[in-house]
Amino acid sequence: MPVSTVLLLASIGVLSLFCQWLAWRVRMPAILFLLAGGIAAGPVLGFLAPEVVFGDLLFPVISLAVAIILFEGSLTLRYEEIRGHGKMVRNLIPVGSIVTCIIGTLAARWLLDVSWAVALLFGAISIVTGPTVIAPLLRSVRPDSKLANILRWEGIIIDPVGALLAVLVFEGIVSWGQGNVFGHSLYIFGKTLAVGFVIGAVAGYLNGIVLRKHWIPQYLHNAGTLTFMLGVYAISNELAHESGLLTVTIMGIWMANMKQVPIESILEFKESLSVLLISALFIILAARVEFAAIAELGWGLVAVLALLMLVARPLSIFLSAIGTNLNLREKLFLSWIAPRGIVAAAVSALFAFQLQKLGYESAGALVPLVFMLIIATVTLQSLTARPVARLLKVAEPAEYGFLILGANPVARMIGMALKKYEVPVTLADTNWENVRQARMENLQVYFGNPVSEHASTHLDLTGIGKLLVISPYKHMNSLATYHFLDWFGNKCVFSLAEGDQDQKARHQTAEKIQMTRGLFDGVSYAKLASLVSQGYTVKTTQLSEEFGYEEFLNKYQNQALVLFTFDSKEHVAPVCSMKDLKPENDWILISLVPPQARKERKEKEGGEPSASQDQPADQEPSSTI
């Protein structure tokens, strides 16, 4: 019985959603399950045949999807981020790219006997790792912050850079084949570069001006930018054959580096695209993989993969690490982690099709070769990265840090107090003024929604394993609570109570979220903000035999609110109930205390010592705002 096209299209969406959900549950890169799902639906079961479903529109759709992927990736490529993340990252991008490209090219040419054109293109594509596969792996493995930052920023930067290199190689192949003489081929290649760079820069500048000056309404920013980019892509291809991918990459880089251009909402728009477009694209591409084509590559395929994983990557790392402070164990860990992602798969499928049209017979080997590289690196490294990190002793010892939802005055005050005791703290907020104030106080902060796709790539959670919800945004509070309950666990997510009026006005909170309520003795955000406005400040208190917990409570007439405790083993824990709190004499308390009494202030101003054993915030600026 023939299956309708509508059912097949709907099945792609359902399958992609299931794969994304499964990856989320087991905390592994979604690309692994998307590839498995596409292969199962295509060559295994014969249910999905992309050529039949899409017909002549298959590769135009793929090319537009690749353009969107490259454009979105290039929007994250800011010059200051390249300069600001260490010598290792700066070395790894050029050195690693060159080493991997050369070894990949030579291995494919000599071991698989493909043409130089296909070998060069494979070498260029093989350098791309990508944040979509690096970020889930880092969250699962949790290496120390230095290694996590190197891998994370390598993935972010190498994604558009690698795609750009692949585009340039492809343009060189195409232009070389269009002329009978060297000069004409060089002219075609130069024309392609000129069109790509000029149109990309002009389009990026014009679109940035439109967004900056708000010449179109806010609700059209995402859709307008996307459609304009696709139009520029099509026009560029008409002016110079296959120059569109270079054009949209340059356009994204230009917009990312323009000042005062609101691209945050465009980056968030990628969340829907990543689920609906990228996931479906992976399944479609995987469904086209033929087992016969993989079998034809023979043992040469295994040798190529081994050279890239065991020779090219370690050589790239050790050469790039010259002059850095990385030790041998850190270099070995970095040498093992280099999973390939969606850009490699999409670009390989598109370019293989174009090379086949140009008459390159061995172009058919490009897709199975790249897909096997993706499958091998993602599978092996996802399964072995954690034990390798433990063996090399580069894993984070404990996730005792806090992600604080909110960068308001109350959250900043708490963040400063925790930072004083070297507890990893990151604040996340969508209010720019709050974020700006947090940065001025030298707090690590993320500007945006912490449960967004953008956050999954850019929010550094190294050393962080607990969530504190200290925010007035009730909808975002619920979303973040649900999200991080699954990441951190029920005992590591803490939320302030809701006010009585809010509870009456709204439906009863879901039971799963209700379990997290009651942080800081059950106070609400409104109550905390009110106390701060009355002059309450955060202070640290070292308990002792002479000044125990009872003396502490009496000093502030039972008006102090204990927020955190540090026990004798330096374990930090937020306080949920002061009634059940029984600190020992060698513990440290972080508390919100009322303003000093008039007598105590006079003693302090007169230089007389106070009887308090407290360490006031005004003497230790790191514990107050």
Side-chain angles (χ1 to χ4, degrees):
M1 177 180 177
V3 182
S4 68
T5 303
V6 173
L7 179 59
L8 288 172
L9 291 174
S11 300
I12 294 173
V14 173
L15 181 58
S16 65
L17 180 61
F18 173 74
C19 293
Q20 290 280 357
W21 174 83
L22 185 59
W24 167 72
R25 290 299 303 173
V26 301
R27 301 188 184 185
M28 291 183 67
I31 183 176
L32 184 61
F33 300 97
L34 291 168
L35 287 173
I39 291 174
V44 175
L45 300 177
F47 175 76
L48 176 61
E51 286 83 358
V52 176
V53 176
F54 294 94
D56 294 337
L57 291 177
L58 176 60
F59 282 96
V61 168
I62 292 177
S63 65
L64 291 176
V66 173
I68 294 173
I69 294 169
L70 294 184
F71 176 69
E72 296 289 349
S74 61
L75 282 175
T76 66
L77 191 58
R78 294 182 173 90
Y79 299 139
E80 64 269 16
E81 291 179 347
I82 298 176
R83 293 192 297 264
H85 284 86
K87 185 176 181 179
M88 181 63 187
V89 177
R90 294 196 302 269
N91 293 347
L92 192 55
I93 300 305
V95 174
S97 299
I98 294 172
V99 170
T100 303
C101 184
I102 292 175
I103 293 179
T105 299
L106 296 178
R109 172 60 181 165
W110 292 339
L111 297 176
L112 299 177
D113 197 27
V114 298
S115 65
W116 278 110
V118 174
L120 280 168
L121 195 53
F122 170 73
I125 294 173
S126 64
I127 75 172
V128 179
T129 56
T132 57
V133 286
I134 287 291
L137 189 147
L138 291 179
R139 287 190 175 184
S140 175
V141 177
R142 290 188 176 274
D144 65 52
S145 58
K146 179 169 63 174
L147 299 181
N149 281 331
I150 290 173
L151 291 170
R152 189 165 59 91
W153 284 105
E154 180 200 9
I156 292 173
I157 297 171
I158 201 65
D159 206 346
V161 169
L164 177 59
L165 177 60
V167 171
L168 291 176
V169 171
F170 178 74
E171 303 303 347
I173 295 171
V174 172
S175 62
W176 192 270
Q178 291 183 2
N180 296 322
V181 295
F182 176 81
H184 182 68
S185 295
L186 191 61
Y187 163 75
I188 297 296
F189 181 57
K191 177 184 176 183
T192 302
L193 290 182
V195 169
F197 276 95
V198 172
I199 294 184
V202 172
Y205 175 77
L206 292 177
N207 198 75
I209 292 296
V210 169
L211 296 179
R212 180 195 294 169
K213 296 184 177 296
H214 300 283
W215 288 346
I216 60 175
Q218 179 68 34
Y219 71 91
L220 287 180
H221 279 196
N222 294 335
T225 299
L226 179 63
T227 52
F228 178 63
M229 180 273 297
L230 292 176
V232 169
Y233 168 78
I235 293 173
S236 179
N237 275 345
E238 291 297 319
L239 294 177
H241 184 63
E242 295 300 336
S243 63
L245 295 180
L246 175 60
T247 298
V248 298
T249 303
I250 299 301
M251 177 181 173
I253 295 174
W254 193 281
M255 289 179 59
N257 290 277
M258 287 184 67
K259 295 181 178 180
Q260 299 179 345
V261 176
I263 63 172
E264 286 78 15
S265 62
I266 300 173
L267 289 172
E268 290 186 5
F269 185 53
K270 183 187 174 186
E271 298 171 31
S272 299
L273 289 177
S274 66
V275 176
L276 298 176
L277 175 63
I278 299 177
S279 300
L281 181 62
F282 247 124
I283 290 176
I284 292 171
L285 294 176
R288 298 184 66 253
V289 175
E290 299 177 358
F291 291 141
I294 296 176
E296 288 180 1
L297 296 176
W299 289 104
L301 170 62
V302 178
V304 171
L305 298 182
L307 282 172
L308 285 172
M309 296 175 64
L310 303 178
V311 177
R313 179 63 176 180
L315 185 59
S316 300
I317 293 296
F318 277 82
L319 288 177
S320 302
I322 295 175
T324 68
N325 59 354
L326 293 177
N327 59 42
L328 179 61
R329 291 180 288 105
E330 292 169 337
K331 295 174 187 177
L332 290 175
F333 179 76
L334 293 175
S335 297
W336 180 238
I337 306 299
R340 271 60 173 188
I342 186 170
V343 171
V347 170
S348 67
L350 178 61
F351 288 164
F353 173 73
Q354 299 291 352
L355 289 178
Q356 285 176 326
K357 289 200 306 182
L358 293 175
Y360 291 90
E361 295 181 358
S362 58
L366 184 62
V367 171
L369 184 56
V370 172
F371 268 70
M372 289 306 298
L373 177 63
I374 294 171
I375 294 172
T377 54
V378 172
T379 304
L380 289 176
Q381 293 168 14
S382 295
L383 295 176
T384 61
R386 182 185 289 271
V388 168
R390 290 175 177 173
L391 178 65
L392 296 174
K393 299 180 180 180
V394 295
E396 195 75 24
E399 297 87 29
Y400 61 92
F402 291 89
L403 172 65
I404 301 179
L405 180 61
N408 47 72
V410 178
R412 297 199 302 271
M413 180 183 291
I414 293 172
M416 293 289 286
L418 291 172
K419 182 183 176 183
K420 170 190 171 184
Y421 288 94
E422 298 183 354
V423 176
V425 176
T426 297
L427 282 64
D429 205 317
T430 56
N431 184 300
W432 171 247
E433 181 59 28
N434 287 341
V435 170
R436 188 182 68 84
Q437 290 292 335
R439 286 177 176 171
M440 290 178 63
E441 295 169 18
N442 202 28
L443 288 167
Q444 183 169 324
V445 65
Y446 172 77
F447 177 44
N449 184 350
V451 304
S452 65
E453 179 71 17
H454 183 265
S456 68
T457 301
H458 293 77
L459 177 56
D460 184 10
L461 294 179
T462 304
I464 291 176
K466 298 177 183 178
L467 173 71
L468 299 179
V469 179
I470 308 176
S471 160
Y473 312 127
K474 296 180 177 61
H475 178 64
M476 184 179 294
N477 294 349
S478 299
L479 291 177
T481 300
Y482 270 119
H483 181 79
F484 288 102
L485 274 172
D486 294 299
W487 277 110
F488 296 153
N490 293 339
K491 297 181 180 181
C492 296
V493 176
F494 305 91
S495 176
L496 296 172
E498 293 186 343
D500 294 337
Q501 294 181 351
D502 293 329
Q503 287 284 15
K504 293 178 182 179
R506 303 167 70 234
H507 294 293
Q508 184 66 25
T509 307
E511 182 179 353
K512 191 173 183 182
I513 293 185
Q514 193 68 24
M515 295 169 55
T516 70
R517 304 294 189 198
L519 178 64
F520 304 152
D521 212 31
V523 301
S524 64
Y525 173 79
K527 178 65 175 178
L528 276 180
S530 174
L531 292 177
V532 172
S533 67
Q534 295 172 31
Y536 276 64
T537 56
V538 172
K539 292 186 179 181
T540 60
T541 303
Q542 174 70 64
L543 299 182
S544 63
E545 293 184 2
E546 295 79 16
F547 190 83
Y549 185 50
E550 291 297 326
E551 287 78 9
F552 168 79
L553 294 177
N554 293 334
K555 172 180 171 57
Y556 294 107
Q557 301 175 353
N558 292 317
Q559 294 181 0
L561 180 63
V562 181
L563 305 177
F564 299 90
T565 62
F566 283 83
D567 61 19
S568 57
K569 297 181 180 179
E570 298 185 353
H571 292 162
V572 58
V575 174
C576 293
S577 173
M578 288 185 60
K579 183 184 300 184
D580 300 328
L581 181 61
K582 296 179 180 179
E584 299 179 6
N585 288 335
D586 55 352
W587 287 22
I588 296 175
L589 306 181
I590 296 180
S591 313
L592 191 66
V593 301
Q596 292 174 308
R598 180 179 303 174
K599 180 179 178 181
E600 186 177 347
R601 287 201 304 268
K602 287 184 177 179
E603 289 177 348
K604 184 176 179 180
E605 291 172 359
E608 300 178 13
S610 171
S612 169
Q613 298 293 320
D614 288 33
Q615 300 176 16
D618 50 10
Q619 292 181 5
E620 299 171 359
S622 62
S623 62
T624 186
I625 60 172

